Structure formats: C-alpha cells, structure tokens
Amino acid sequence: ATRRKLLNEVQDLRGTVRVYCRPQPIRVSSSSRSPNEKNLGIISVPSHETLLVHRERVPGTDGISHTTPMSFEFDRVFSPDSSQNELYSEMEEGVLGGLDGYNVCLMAYGQTGSGKTHTMVGDYSLVLEEVDDEVPKAMFRSKGLHLQAMGQLFTIAEKRSQRYQDSFSIT
C-alpha cells in the first residue's frame, strides 16, 4: 500500500512516461584527425539529466571556427559504461507497479547497432548442448532489463501466491 501511494505521487509529479538514455561511446573517426591526436569522444554527460553532443567545428562570421554543443534532456542519462543492474534499479519501482495493476512497457529505441538488444536482453551467447543439438542454450554474462524484470516479477508472484493470483502477458 505504501509503495502504491508513493508511486502515485511520483506519477503525479513526473508523469507516466519516462525517457532514459545510455549512449554508446561515440568516437571521432580516425580519418578526421592527425596521427598524434587523441581519440576524443563527441558525447559528454554533464549531469544525470543532460546529454551533450559536441558537433564538428564550423566557421564563424568572425573567421574563427566554433563548436556549439547540442543539448538533450532526459529523465535520466546513464554513462556509456553503466551496468545493467544500474539501469534496472532506476526502473525497478515502475516495473513493480505492474504487480499493483498498472500497465508497464519497457522499450528501447535507436539506430541499428546502438545497443537496444544489449540493454533489453543482455550480454549473451548461444551454445549447442552435446545432449540436445536441436535447442541452443543461452549463456548470460549479464541480464538485460526484460530478463531482470521478469525474474523479479515471477519471484514476487511466487512468494505471494497464497494471497494473490498473478497473471502475466508478455508481447
């Protein structure tokens, strides 16, 4: 009851949709810099809510080239090396709201190769077992948001099965 009350207060203050960002480290291409120049990142995270993209130098009207960073704001910006557990801990309360009857949707958006599958499913490899060559087995080095959420929801549902009958729909 306390969790539901607090979640309702947070929903009223922040709204129901949250947008998080975990950028991949983007590097300046080696062809655009001299051999002695360091590989500098073009993304910086000055706060937990802001992401800066440092664009290429453009000539100014005064004859001096300038860079103007583009700023984007999110509910939370994670560093590129944030762990899956760090991401999930930020979203855990919202996920647990599903047990209180709220609809929950976790989704990832981005370009091909930007890390959506890594964030949602995790870091895994498929291995064929010697016993059953037909069905590959997934070996996880780290579980993504979906797997962590399902694991926690199923564990809680099992523990409270005497009082509640939980049903889940995953698409």
Side-chain angles (χ1 to χ4, degrees):
T2 303
R3 185 179 78 239
R4 184 180 301 151
K5 181 179 181 251
L6 290 173
L7 183 62
N8 284 335
E9 288 177 17
V10 169
Q11 297 284 2
D12 289 343
L13 292 171
R14 293 174 66 188
T16 57
V17 176
R18 306 281 183 281
V19 180
Y20 300 103
C21 178
R22 176 172 60 173
Q24 279 194 341
I26 298 175
R27 305 290 175 198
V28 175
S29 70
S30 59
S31 62
S32 65
R33 57 188 168 88
S34 68
N36 296 333
E37 189 178 352
K38 290 184 178 179
N39 195 12
L40 302 172
I42 62 170
I43 289 180
S44 62
V45 183
S47 74
H48 289 298
E49 295 86 25
T50 307
L51 176 84
L52 290 177
V53 177
H54 304 280
R55 300 184 293 180
E56 292 183 27
R57 291 191 169 273
V58 292
T61 55
D62 56 2
I64 301 172
S65 64
H66 301 278
T67 58
T68 307
M70 294 173 52
S71 175
F72 299 93
E73 291 189 20
F74 299 91
D75 288 297
R76 172 80 195 269
V77 177
F78 295 91
S79 68
D81 60 344
S82 296
S83 71
Q84 302 287 47
N85 291 336
E86 286 178 72
L87 269 73
Y88 184 70
S89 67
E90 180 73 25
M91 297 170 205
E92 184 176 23
E93 284 301 316
V95 169
L96 294 177
L99 294 171
D100 297 326
Y102 294 99
N103 290 323
V104 177
C105 175
L106 297 177
M107 61 179 258
Y109 179 80
Q111 293 177 313
T112 301
S114 63
K116 299 178 299 292
T117 302
H118 173 73
T119 296
M120 301 309 271
V121 178
D123 189 9
Y124 66 94
S125 60
L126 296 176
V127 180
L128 290 176
E129 290 289 320
E130 290 181 19
V131 178
D132 186 4
D133 290 337
E134 299 296 319
V135 181
K137 182 178 181 181
M139 304 296 290
F140 286 92
R141 289 180 279 287
S142 66
K143 292 184 179 178
L145 300 179
H146 278 164
L147 297 176
Q148 289 186 52
M150 288 187 298
Q152 186 174 29
L153 292 174
F154 294 160
T155 299
I156 292 171
E158 185 178 327
K159 287 181 181 178
R160 68 185 210 166
S161 63
Q162 300 298 322
R163 294 180 294 154
Y164 299 99
Q165 180 181 353
D166 295 305
S167 63
F168 300 93
S169 173
I170 301 170
T171 58

